[in-house]
Amino acid sequence: MSDRKYLIAANWKMNPAPQGALAKDSPYRTLSSVDVWVFPTYLDLQPCIEAGLITGAQLGSSAANGAHTGDVSMTMLTELKCRSVLCGHSERRHGRHETNEEVIAQTIAALEAGLHPIVCVGETLKQREAGEEKEVVRKQLEGLPVESRIIIAYEPVWAIGTGKTATPAQAQEMHASIRGLLPKDVRDSTRILYGGSVKPDNAPELLKQKDIDGALVGGASLKPDEFRAIVEAAIG
Ligand code: PGA
C-alpha cells in the first residue's frame, strides 16, 4: 500500500471565492487526513492565505522578473506564502497557447522558488479518438525534473467543464501509465490527481482507483456543499 495522502484541490478559475470559504467551518480548510488546497484568482490569494487556507496560484511566470506585463513571478508567490501553483492547465495550454516547453519551464521556476507545482496534462477528444492519448501525455511530461514536490493532474480536455468524466477505468489506466513514466525514486511517492467534471457522485469511484491520489475540481469547487462531499469521499 502506498502512503500517498489524498489531495483535493479547488480551482476557482476566474470566479470570486465562494461564500463562506474563509470561515472557520469552511470545507476548503485542510484536514489531518486529507490535504485540501485552494486556487483563487490573484486578487484572492492574500485573503485566503490570511484566513489560513493552503493556497496556490492558477499561474506563475517562467521568467524571474523584468518586462513581462501582466505576469507574476514564482518568487512573488512564495513571498506571499503560496504553497503551490498550477502549471499547464488546459485552459492555458489551449486558450493561451502555452507549449509543453513553456509549462516545463514554469514547473522548474516554481520548484526553484520553493513551490509545490501541480503540473496539468491531458489529451483532447480528437487525440483520444486517434488513440494518441498516452503519447500526448508522455510528451507533456518530457523534461519534467525529478523532484518529490511535483504533483501531476491528469485532466482529459474533453472532460473539463463538460459534465463528461473519464470512467474510473479510463482514468486509472492513464494514471498507471503516467506513474510508469516517473523516475524510480519518485514513482511511488508522487501524487497524481484526476480532474474533469469531478462531482460528489463520481468522486468515490474515481478516488478508489489505485493510482488516483486526489482530484483537481473546477465547477463543483464553487459550490461549498458539493466540494465538502468530494472531500468526504476522500476521507472514505
Ligand atoms: P471541472 O474543471 O471540474 O469544472 O471540469 C476541472 C479543472 O479545470 O481543473
Side-chain angles (χ1 to χ4, degrees), residues 71-138:
D71 283 3
V72 169
S73 79
M74 299 294 183
T75 312
M76 290 168 177
L77 298 176
T78 309
E79 283 169 357
L80 199 64
K81 302 218 169 350
C82 282
R83 173 79 57 93
S84 180
V85 63
L86 301 182
C87 298
H89 189 279
S90 79
E91 286 150 20
R92 305 294 317 173
R93 288 181 188 270
H94 296 278
R96 293 289 184 270
H97 312 293
E98 289 182 7
T99 61
N100 292 348
E101 292 70 27
E102 167 58 19
V103 173
I104 294 294
Q106 286 173 14
T107 306
I108 292 168
L111 291 168
E112 282 171 359
L115 296 165
H116 296 240
I118 299 186
V119 183
C120 305
V121 296
E123 80 286 359
T124 62
L125 185 57
K126 207 166 151 219
Q127 290 164 334
R128 178 162 280 265
E129 283 172 349
E132 294 166 353
E133 66 274 14
K134 287 192 183 138
E135 182 55 15
V136 167
V137 168
R138 190 191 65 73

Side-chain angles (χ1 to χ4, degrees), residues 9-11 13 86 89-91 120 153 155-156 159-164 194-199 216-221:
N11 176 10
K13 308 194 180 184
L86 301 182
H89 189 279
S90 79
E91 286 150 20
C120 305
E155 301 200 294
I160 296 178
T162 58
K164 285 188 200 147
Y194 172 78
S197 298
V198 175
K199 302 270 184 287
L216 179 54
V217 188
S221 78

